Amino acid sequence: MKGSENSRKHFVLVHGACHGAWSWFKLVTLLRSEGHLVTAIDLAASGVRPESFSDVQTFRDYSQPLLDLLASLPEDEAAILVGHSLGGLNLAFAMESFPGKISTAVFVSAFMPDCSSPPSSVLEQYFSMTPPGILLDTQFTPERHKTGMLFGPKCLSLHFYQKTSAEDLTLGLMLVRPGSLFLEDLSVSPKLSEEKYGSVCKVYIVCKEDKGIPEEFQRWMIKNNPPEEVMEIEGADHMPMLSTPKELSLSLLKVADSH
Protein backbone atom coordinates (compact mmCIF):
# COMPACT_ATOMS: atom_id res chain seq x y z
CA MET A 1 0.00 0.00 0.00
CA LYS A 2 1.39 3.39 -0.95
CA GLY A 3 2.08 5.80 1.86
CA SER A 4 -0.18 8.79 2.40
CA GLU A 5 1.25 12.31 2.38
CA ASN A 6 1.47 12.19 6.17
CA SER A 7 3.24 8.83 6.21
CA ARG A 8 5.70 9.63 3.41
CA LYS A 9 9.29 9.43 4.57
CA HIS A 10 12.51 10.77 3.06
CA PHE A 11 15.12 8.06 2.59
CA VAL A 12 18.69 9.20 1.93
CA LEU A 13 20.84 6.39 0.54
CA VAL A 14 24.62 6.48 1.03
CA HIS A 15 26.80 4.15 -1.03
CA GLY A 16 29.95 2.30 -0.04
CA ALA A 17 33.57 2.79 -1.12
CA CYS A 18 34.33 2.94 -4.85
CA HIS A 19 30.60 2.85 -5.65
CA GLY A 20 27.99 5.54 -6.29
CA ALA A 21 24.31 6.40 -6.21
CA TRP A 22 23.88 4.06 -9.20
CA SER A 23 24.22 1.03 -6.90
CA TRP A 24 20.81 1.82 -5.35
CA PHE A 25 18.82 1.94 -8.60
CA LYS A 26 16.60 -1.05 -7.77
CA LEU A 27 15.92 0.11 -4.21
CA VAL A 28 15.13 3.68 -5.29
CA THR A 29 12.48 2.31 -7.64
CA LEU A 30 10.93 0.08 -4.98
CA LEU A 31 10.78 2.75 -2.26
CA ARG A 32 9.40 5.39 -4.62
CA SER A 33 6.71 2.95 -5.76
CA GLU A 34 5.51 2.95 -2.13
CA GLY A 35 5.12 6.73 -2.20
CA HIS A 36 8.31 7.70 -0.36
CA LEU A 37 10.80 10.42 -1.22
CA VAL A 38 14.19 8.89 -2.00
CA THR A 39 17.53 10.61 -2.53
CA ALA A 40 20.53 8.52 -3.55
CA ILE A 41 23.62 10.69 -3.40
CA ASP A 42 27.07 10.50 -4.90
CA LEU A 43 29.75 11.24 -2.33
CA ALA A 44 32.76 13.27 -3.47
CA ALA A 45 34.68 11.82 -6.45
CA SER A 46 32.07 9.05 -6.73
CA GLY A 47 29.45 8.05 -9.26
CA VAL A 48 28.93 10.83 -11.79
CA ARG A 49 30.51 13.62 -9.74
CA PRO A 50 33.24 15.48 -11.64
CA GLU A 51 35.95 15.53 -8.96
CA SER A 52 38.88 13.18 -9.26
CA PHE A 53 39.98 11.06 -6.33
CA SER A 54 43.12 13.19 -5.94
CA ASP A 55 40.89 16.21 -5.18
CA VAL A 56 39.52 14.58 -2.00
CA GLN A 57 41.93 14.79 0.92
CA THR A 58 39.87 14.05 4.04
CA PHE A 59 36.91 11.92 5.03
CA ARG A 60 34.93 15.10 5.68
CA ASP A 61 35.67 16.24 2.12
CA TYR A 62 34.42 12.86 0.92
CA SER A 63 31.27 13.19 3.06
CA GLN A 64 30.54 16.82 2.12
CA PRO A 65 27.74 16.10 -0.40
CA LEU A 66 25.82 14.25 2.34
CA LEU A 67 26.43 17.01 4.87
CA ASP A 68 25.31 19.65 2.36
CA LEU A 69 22.12 17.71 1.66
CA LEU A 70 21.22 17.46 5.34
CA ALA A 71 21.98 21.14 5.88
CA SER A 72 19.52 21.98 3.08
CA LEU A 73 16.59 20.05 4.56
CA PRO A 74 13.71 22.06 6.04
CA GLU A 75 13.87 22.53 9.80
CA ASP A 76 10.85 20.29 10.34
CA GLU A 77 12.16 17.40 8.20
CA ALA A 78 14.16 14.46 9.54
CA ALA A 79 15.39 11.88 7.04
CA ILE A 80 15.99 8.16 7.34
CA LEU A 81 19.66 7.71 6.48
CA VAL A 82 20.67 4.36 4.97
CA GLY A 83 24.38 3.61 4.75
CA HIS A 84 26.04 0.64 3.06
CA SER A 85 29.53 -0.70 3.88
CA LEU A 86 31.93 2.25 4.32
CA GLY A 87 28.83 4.46 4.07
CA GLY A 88 28.19 3.63 7.72
CA LEU A 89 31.04 5.97 8.63
CA ASN A 90 29.54 8.70 6.43
CA LEU A 91 26.32 8.19 8.40
CA ALA A 92 28.26 8.56 11.65
CA PHE A 93 29.75 11.90 10.55
CA ALA A 94 26.30 13.08 9.48
CA MET A 95 24.77 12.00 12.80
CA GLU A 96 27.48 13.91 14.66
CA SER A 97 26.90 17.02 12.56
CA PHE A 98 23.09 17.00 12.17
CA PRO A 99 21.50 14.72 14.78
CA GLY A 100 18.24 16.67 14.62
CA LYS A 101 17.89 16.13 10.87
CA ILE A 102 17.99 12.32 11.13
CA SER A 103 15.08 10.26 12.44
CA THR A 104 16.82 6.89 12.08
CA ALA A 105 20.21 5.73 10.81
CA VAL A 106 20.15 2.32 9.11
CA PHE A 107 23.45 0.47 8.76
CA VAL A 108 23.21 -2.10 5.94
CA SER A 109 26.15 -4.46 6.43
CA ALA A 110 27.96 -1.22 7.19
CA PHE A 111 30.80 -0.14 9.44
CA MET A 112 29.25 1.15 12.66
CA PRO A 113 31.72 2.96 14.96
CA ASP A 114 31.37 3.57 18.69
CA CYS A 115 31.99 6.62 20.87
CA SER A 116 34.93 5.26 22.87
CA SER A 117 37.54 5.05 20.09
CA PRO A 118 38.59 7.10 17.05
CA PRO A 119 36.36 6.45 14.01
CA SER A 120 39.19 4.47 12.40
CA SER A 121 39.01 1.82 15.14
CA VAL A 122 36.16 -0.13 13.52
CA LEU A 123 38.18 -0.41 10.28
CA GLU A 124 41.28 -1.47 12.17
CA GLN A 125 39.26 -4.13 13.97
CA TYR A 126 37.92 -5.32 10.61
CA PHE A 127 41.40 -5.95 9.25
CA SER A 128 42.54 -7.62 12.47
CA MET A 129 39.49 -9.91 12.80
CA THR A 130 38.82 -10.95 9.20
CA PRO A 131 40.93 -13.39 7.14
CA PRO A 132 44.07 -11.97 5.49
CA GLY A 133 43.54 -11.26 1.83
CA ILE A 134 39.77 -10.87 2.20
CA LEU A 135 39.84 -8.08 -0.40
CA LEU A 136 41.68 -10.36 -2.87
CA ASP A 137 42.88 -8.41 -5.93
CA THR A 138 41.91 -4.97 -4.62
CA GLN A 139 44.61 -2.44 -5.50
CA PHE A 140 45.95 -0.12 -2.78
CA THR A 141 47.92 2.97 -3.82
CA PRO A 142 49.70 5.04 -1.13
CA GLU A 143 49.28 8.79 -1.56
CA ARG A 144 50.39 11.76 0.53
CA HIS A 145 47.34 12.04 2.79
CA LYS A 146 45.50 8.79 2.13
CA THR A 147 45.73 5.32 0.63
CA GLY A 148 43.85 4.88 -2.61
CA MET A 149 41.80 1.74 -3.20
CA LEU A 150 40.08 0.13 -6.17
CA PHE A 151 38.23 -3.17 -5.80
CA GLY A 152 39.46 -5.82 -8.23
CA PRO A 153 37.33 -8.10 -10.42
CA LYS A 154 37.91 -11.16 -8.20
CA CYS A 155 37.00 -9.24 -5.05
CA LEU A 156 33.79 -7.94 -6.61
CA SER A 157 32.70 -11.24 -8.17
CA LEU A 158 33.64 -13.60 -5.31
CA HIS A 159 33.16 -11.53 -2.14
CA PHE A 160 30.82 -8.63 -2.97
CA TYR A 161 28.51 -9.61 -5.86
CA GLN A 162 28.47 -13.41 -5.57
CA LYS A 163 24.65 -13.53 -5.20
CA THR A 164 23.82 -10.87 -7.79
CA SER A 165 22.98 -11.40 -11.44
CA ALA A 166 25.68 -11.44 -14.09
CA GLU A 167 24.29 -8.13 -15.38
CA ASP A 168 24.61 -6.47 -11.97
CA LEU A 169 28.19 -7.69 -11.64
CA THR A 170 28.99 -6.30 -15.08
CA LEU A 171 27.46 -2.96 -14.05
CA GLY A 172 29.64 -2.88 -10.94
CA LEU A 173 32.79 -3.79 -12.86
CA MET A 174 32.09 -0.97 -15.32
CA LEU A 175 31.21 1.76 -12.81
CA VAL A 176 33.43 1.39 -9.74
CA ARG A 177 35.88 4.28 -9.27
CA PRO A 178 39.01 4.69 -7.12
CA GLY A 179 38.22 5.41 -3.49
CA SER A 180 39.74 5.16 -0.04
CA LEU A 181 39.01 4.01 3.49
CA PHE A 182 40.63 7.25 4.73
CA LEU A 183 42.27 5.37 7.61
CA GLU A 184 44.98 7.99 8.00
CA ASP A 185 42.49 10.83 8.42
CA LEU A 186 39.98 8.87 10.51
CA SER A 187 42.72 7.84 12.96
CA VAL A 188 43.23 11.49 13.97
CA SER A 189 39.55 12.49 13.82
CA PRO A 190 37.78 13.29 17.12
CA LYS A 191 35.75 10.57 18.79
CA LEU A 192 32.03 10.59 18.09
CA SER A 193 29.91 11.91 20.95
CA GLU A 194 27.12 10.23 22.90
CA GLU A 195 25.24 13.55 22.87
CA LYS A 196 25.07 13.74 19.06
CA TYR A 197 26.00 10.50 17.27
CA GLY A 198 24.82 8.41 20.21
CA SER A 199 21.44 10.16 20.40
CA VAL A 200 20.22 9.08 16.95
CA CYS A 201 18.18 5.87 16.67
CA LYS A 202 20.25 3.16 14.97
CA VAL A 203 19.08 0.04 13.13
CA TYR A 204 21.49 -2.60 11.83
CA ILE A 205 20.60 -4.89 8.89
CA VAL A 206 22.71 -8.05 8.85
CA CYS A 207 23.45 -9.53 5.42
CA LYS A 208 23.78 -13.24 6.11
CA GLU A 209 25.79 -14.25 3.00
CA ASP A 210 28.16 -11.28 3.00
CA LYS A 211 31.74 -12.33 2.26
CA GLY A 212 33.09 -8.77 2.16
CA ILE A 213 32.06 -7.85 5.71
CA PRO A 214 31.36 -11.31 7.12
CA GLU A 215 28.39 -11.87 9.40
CA GLU A 216 30.73 -12.58 12.32
CA PHE A 217 32.17 -9.08 12.07
CA GLN A 218 28.73 -7.53 11.63
CA ARG A 219 27.72 -9.27 14.87
CA TRP A 220 30.84 -7.99 16.60
CA MET A 221 29.94 -4.39 15.69
CA ILE A 222 26.40 -4.92 16.96
CA LYS A 223 27.70 -6.25 20.27
CA ASN A 224 30.29 -3.48 20.52
CA ASN A 225 27.77 -0.68 19.97
CA PRO A 226 24.23 -2.08 20.28
CA PRO A 227 21.65 -0.45 17.99
CA GLU A 228 17.98 -0.08 18.88
CA GLU A 229 17.02 -2.84 16.45
CA VAL A 230 18.72 -5.61 14.47
CA MET A 231 17.21 -7.06 11.29
CA GLU A 232 18.48 -9.87 9.04
CA ILE A 233 18.24 -10.66 5.34
CA GLU A 234 18.76 -14.29 4.40
CA GLY A 235 20.64 -14.86 1.15
CA ALA A 236 21.97 -11.29 0.97
CA ASP A 237 25.56 -10.84 -0.13
CA HIS A 238 27.54 -7.62 0.36
CA MET A 239 25.33 -5.88 -2.22
CA PRO A 240 21.78 -6.52 -0.92
CA MET A 241 20.43 -3.56 -2.89
CA LEU A 242 21.23 -5.65 -5.98
CA SER A 243 20.98 -9.27 -4.80
CA THR A 244 17.93 -8.99 -2.50
CA PRO A 245 16.36 -5.59 -3.27
CA LYS A 246 12.78 -6.58 -2.41
CA GLU A 247 13.82 -7.93 0.99
CA LEU A 248 15.90 -4.83 1.71
CA SER A 249 13.01 -2.59 0.67
CA LEU A 250 10.63 -4.45 3.00
CA SER A 251 13.10 -4.05 5.86
CA LEU A 252 13.36 -0.31 5.27
CA LEU A 253 9.57 0.04 5.02
CA LYS A 254 9.34 -1.65 8.43
CA VAL A 255 11.86 0.86 9.77
CA ALA A 256 9.78 3.71 8.36
CA ASP A 257 6.64 2.33 10.03
CA SER A 258 8.15 1.58 13.44
CA HIS A 259 10.65 4.37 14.03
Side-chain angles (χ1 to χ4, degrees):
M1 181 181 295
K2 298 183 186 300
S4 66
E5 189 67 28
N6 290 335
S7 65
R8 187 175 78 156
K9 302 295 196 301
H10 185 184
F11 289 92
V12 176
L13 310 180
V14 184
H15 62 80
C18 302
H19 285 69
W22 58 265
S23 61
W24 299 103
F25 76 98
K26 294 181 182 180
L27 191 67
V28 170
T29 304
L30 289 168
L31 292 175
R32 285 180 178 167
S33 73
E34 293 294 327
H36 295 292
L37 175 63
V38 187
T39 304
I41 66 165
D42 282 323
L43 298 171
S46 302
V48 299
R49 289 187 64 90
E51 310 97 347
S52 71
F53 175 64
S54 60
D55 296 328
V56 182
Q57 299 301 321
T58 68
F59 192 76
R60 180 164 287 275
D61 293 340
Y62 176 59
S63 304
Q64 198 60 51
L66 173 60
L67 302 178
D68 290 344
L69 172 66
L70 291 174
S72 72
L73 293 181
E75 288 299 324
D76 60 348
E77 181 178 332
I80 298 174
L81 261 58
V82 183
H84 171 243
S85 195
L86 184 65
L89 283 164
N90 301 107
L91 258 61
F93 268 55
M95 294 155 74
E96 186 71 18
S97 299
F98 297 100
K101 294 288 187 75
I102 305 163
S103 64
T104 309
V106 185
F107 293 78
V108 181
S109 195
F111 291 110
M112 184 172 65
D114 58 33
C115 296
S116 60
S117 308
S120 62
S121 178
V122 68
L123 296 173
E124 293 161 355
Q125 287 291 333
Y126 169 77
F127 284 110
S128 69
M129 294 175 65
T130 53
I134 192 169
L135 297 181
L136 296 173
D137 56 342
T138 295
Q139 299 177 13
F140 292 94
T141 308
E143 298 192 8
R144 183 178 178 186
H145 298 292
K146 60 186 183 295
T147 299
M149 176 179 69
L150 182 62
F151 296 124
K154 288 183 180 178
C155 178
L156 290 175
S157 62
L158 298 177
H159 284 178
F160 283 18
Y161 287 67
Q162 84 272 12
K163 294 283 187 178
T164 70
S165 69
E167 292 86 353
D168 290 336
L169 172 60
T170 299
L171 184 71
L173 290 168
M174 293 175 67
L175 294 181
V176 291
R177 292 177 60 177
S180 178
L181 297 178
F182 295 94
L183 266 169
E184 298 87 348
D185 181 61
L186 290 170
S187 66
V188 295
S189 296
K191 296 177 183 178
L192 300 161
S193 69
E194 292 284 359
E195 295 77 18
K196 295 180 178 179
Y197 169 69
S199 69
V200 180
C201 176
K202 295 188 288 295
V203 175
Y204 201 97
I205 298 181
V206 175
C207 295
K208 302 274 289 178
E209 300 295 326
D210 193 339
K211 293 184 178 181
I213 301 181
E215 182 181 355
E216 292 80 5
F217 189 72
Q218 297 176 58
R219 299 288 183 188
W220 178 85
M221 289 188 286
I222 290 166
K223 183 177 180 180
N224 180 60
N225 184 27
E228 279 71 17
E229 185 175 359
V230 176
M231 310 173 88
E232 299 179 356
I233 300 180
E234 297 284 347
D237 59 14
H238 188 64
M239 301 296 293
M241 66 287 290
L242 298 176
S243 62
T244 54
K246 291 182 180 179
E247 292 81 356
L248 179 56
S249 176
L250 288 173
S251 296
L252 293 176
L253 292 173
K254 289 178 182 176
V255 170
D257 288 339
S258 60
H259 293 273

